[in-house]
Amino acid sequence: MKTVLITGATSGIGEACAHIFAENGYRLIITGRREEKLKQLTQTLQTQYGTNTLPLVFDVTNKVACENAITKLPTDYQQIDILINNAGLAAGLNPIHEGLHSDWETMIDTNIKGLLYMARIVAPMMVLQQAGHIINISSIAGKENYANGNVYCATKHAVDSLSQTMRIDLLQHGIRVTNIAPGMVETEFSLVRYKGDSERAKKVYAGLTPLSAHDVADAVYWAASRPEHVNISDITITPKAQANATTTFRK
Ligand code: NDP
Ligand code: 8X3
């Protein structure tokens, strides 16, 4: 049985990935900061699919917490076959001259440093195995830029770049690296970006059908389930109503 570690599984894309991998017979390590949500998901996965799930509560911005969680895994969970670096967020949407330092730090610490901490802990385990798959959830904001997206876009460009360089560094160790770049996905993302303003969050998706978290999880699972000799480098996935980061068709 293969093991997948999913960061940020308490909602959205990470939670949908947990379902699809559980449904397909994987053993799961799910992480996030919200303990209650992780507990509930563990229970649901057990009930729906009979999945062995290890919930780990930690903040990916805390390097020591990441290390403590992953270096003390129970024996059954020590061989990680797939790491899905999904935990991430946007905080605020301000022009650069009005940006909040605290928002910038949160995004840089989570989207770049958190992803790096996890890769730095898990990649050596995969190197020992001479096998593994790292799937980084970047964004269309890692391919293009949009007004007021400044630091969020920069963090996702960093993820895109790291996916490319990880692929080079890990090539000789038989480790696959995939970058996933979704467009608009209706999750808690906009609610988090707008700090709980649900009306503003809802407007992001008004007049179009956004991707669901499941749509993205489906692409993640497809990349993970290709034959061993195949590496899917990069997937950009948008709703039909979104042509690029800034062009949408709304009815
Ligand atoms: P959600 O807000 O629904 O989920 C984000 C997840 O990340 C949560 O499980 C949250 O868990 C976790 N997370 C955030 N910060 C931390 C942290 N410091 N430590 C641990 N976990 C953390 O959003 P999405 O599912 O949409 O986002 C998932 C990824 O997809 C992100 O990287 C996002 O940038 C990316 N993305 C999203 C798009 C969208 O339109 N929704 C489009 C393109 C990319 P908890 O709060 O419990 O810690
Ligand atoms: C989330 C999608 O377009 O808001 O990464 O940046 S977008």
Side-chain angles (χ1 to χ4, degrees):
M1 185 186 283
K2 286 193 171 181
T3 301
V4 57
L5 190 171
I6 305 166
T7 66
T10 53
S11 71
I13 295 167
E15 184 178 2
C17 285
H19 276 272
I20 205 162
F21 280 87
E23 200 178 352
N24 283 283
Y26 279 73
R27 184 188 284 124
L28 266 69
I29 305 171
I30 54 173
T31 84
R33 293 166 300 180
R34 286 171 289 177
E35 187 168 13
E36 195 47 44
K37 287 210 154 218
L38 276 185
K39 266 194 204 158
Q40 279 168 12
L41 180 59
T42 303
Q43 186 60 54
T44 304
L45 297 174
Q46 168 64 36
T47 310
Q48 284 191 14
Y49 318 104
T51 309
N52 295 322
T53 307
L54 179 68
L56 296 176
V57 181
F58 64 90
D59 186 329
V60 294
T61 68
N62 182 333
K63 178 160 64 81
V64 174
C66 294
E67 286 167 353
N68 282 342
I70 308 304
T71 53
K72 291 181 188 146
L73 292 174
T75 320
D76 281 358
Y77 292 87
Q78 282 174 4
Q79 181 180 323
I80 298 169
D81 299 286
I82 302 172
L83 165 64
I84 304 178
N85 263 322
N86 165 75
L89 79 174
L93 188 71
N94 300 315
I96 199 75
H97 57 287
E98 292 172 4
L100 300 181
H101 290 91
S102 56
D103 285 348
W104 294 354
E105 275 150 18
T106 300
M107 289 187 279
I108 291 166
D109 288 352
T110 311
N111 301 355
I112 306 179
K113 291 168 72 178
L115 177 140
L116 279 171
Y117 295 154
M118 292 304 295
R120 184 64 184 84
I121 298 162
V122 175
M125 299 159 87
M126 291 181 170
V127 167
L128 279 178
Q129 294 161 197
Q130 291 289 290
H133 194 168
I134 297 176
I135 301 178
N136 293 325
I137 308 299
S138 177
S139 169
I140 200 161
K143 306 280 184 194
E144 302 172 46
N145 296 289
Y146 54 82
N148 306 325
N150 43 64
V151 175
Y152 180 69
C153 293
T155 64
K156 290 300 184 177
H157 275 72
V159 173
D160 192 285
S161 169
L162 285 166
S163 295
Q164 294 179 48
T165 51
M166 282 182 194
R167 196 174 305 117
I168 298 166
D169 294 349
L170 299 172
L171 180 68
Q172 63 184 312
H173 299 293
I175 297 165
R176 304 193 276 186
V177 179
T178 299
N179 189 74
I180 307 275
M184 301 167 81
V185 193
E186 191 163 14
T187 60
E188 293 181 8
F189 177 84
S190 292
L191 196 62
V192 171
R193 167 171 258 172
Y194 298 130
K195 301 172 183 176
D197 183 340
S198 54
E199 285 311 306
R200 199 172 170 200
K202 225 181 281 167
K203 280 187 193 145
V204 174
Y205 313 107
L208 56 75
T209 305
L211 295 175
S212 68
H214 177 79
D215 294 326
V216 180
D218 209 27
V220 170
Y221 185 73
W222 179 78
S225 57
R226 293 311 83 212
E228 177 57 30
H229 67 286
V230 177
N231 186 83
I232 303 300
S233 299
D234 204 296
I235 297 175
T236 299
I237 173 171
T238 64
K240 189 172 75 172
Q242 180 179 22
N244 59 29
T246 50
T247 314
T248 52
F249 179 70
R250 295 177 197 257
K251 284 186 182 156

